[in-house]
Amino acid sequence: MRTTNVISSLALAAVFVLPATLHAQRNASNVPFRSGQWGAEFSASNDFQSLGMMRFFSPRRALAFDANLDNTSTSIDGSDAETSNTSYGLSVGYRMYRPLTSGVVGHLTGGLRVSSSSTSITNGAGVTTDNNTRGYGPFGEIGASYFVTPHLSLGAAYGLEYLMTSSKQGATDSSGHSLGSSPLSVRISLYF
């Protein structure tokens, strides 16, 4: 199901990018942002979808806010077995932009991420086990965007994160840390 969402996002991106290749882009020495500008960003990958906002306080600097929510449930026909998973993540970061070439702007983001995941598993006998994990820590991201118009860009980003975690699996509590990468995400951004 998520693969279908990513494919749909890529197809939508292609619809905007192909006609735009015939359109002249802005000068590479300038970034297309201004102080006080806002932006909205939709991200999709195989593992998540998120919605974010950007607030520019200079043409090359912005605060980036991001939120994602995922809720899935599966069951086996003819039995009481069921698995449900709910996860969310929130992040805030400082983003720096740099023009790369005509119509393409790169960015680096560093900030703090908070995440939570809850899984509930009910077996065929009706016994339920709950697993909860929460984490927080720094993240870094690198990406680039191609400007189709001054108000629309298509891009991609890749990131790393280090999270301090606490988990409760059934009656067992544990804590630890994790270092991981976020999957390459496709992004559609609007600027206003």
Side-chain angles (χ1 to χ4, degrees):
M1 183 68 167
R2 291 183 185 172
T3 303
T4 304
N5 291 338
V6 171
I7 291 170
S8 297
S9 297
L10 289 172
L12 179 62
V15 167
F16 287 112
V17 170
L18 294 176
T21 57
L22 302 175
H23 186 269
Q25 294 297 312
R26 294 177 177 231
N27 185 331
S29 65
N30 297 320
V31 290
F33 310 118
R34 67 181 188 286
S35 182
Q37 186 173 14
W38 285 90
E41 189 168 70
F42 173 75
S43 300
S45 74
N46 287 339
D47 292 346
F48 71 94
Q49 295 179 356
S50 67
L51 183 61
M53 295 294 293
M54 296 160 290
R55 174 66 170 170
F56 291 86
F57 51 90
S58 82
R60 293 183 184 232
R61 307 280 188 260
L63 285 177
F65 305 93
D66 193 62
N68 66 298
L69 176 64
D70 186 28
N71 187 11
T72 59
S73 181
T74 59
S75 60
I76 299 173
D77 291 337
S79 76
D80 292 334
E82 181 179 39
T83 301
S84 63
N85 183 28
T86 301
S87 61
Y88 72 85
L90 301 170
S91 64
V92 61
Y94 178 77
R95 186 173 288 177
M96 299 172 290
Y97 291 89
R98 178 183 170 96
L100 298 177
T101 185
S102 182
V104 179
V105 175
H107 69 81
L108 292 172
T109 307
L112 180 65
R113 177 166 290 142
V114 176
S115 65
S116 176
S117 177
S118 300
T119 304
S120 179
I121 302 169
T122 304
N123 64 19
V127 177
T128 300
T129 304
D130 292 322
N131 301 320
N132 300 301
T133 302
R134 289 176 175 71
Y136 65 92
F139 77 94
E141 179 181 85
I142 186 169
S145 297
Y146 172 76
F147 280 80
V148 178
T149 73
H151 299 285
L152 174 68
S153 70
L154 304 173
Y158 178 78
L160 295 172
E161 63 185 16
Y162 176 80
L163 298 179
M164 304 294 285
T165 60
S166 61
S167 300
K168 182 169 183 153
Q169 298 180 349
T172 306
D173 292 333
S174 64
S175 62
H177 54 87
S178 68
L179 175 64
S181 63
S182 59
L184 183 66
S185 63
V186 175
R187 297 187 170 179
I188 299 173
S189 302
L190 298 171
Y191 306 96
F192 41 94

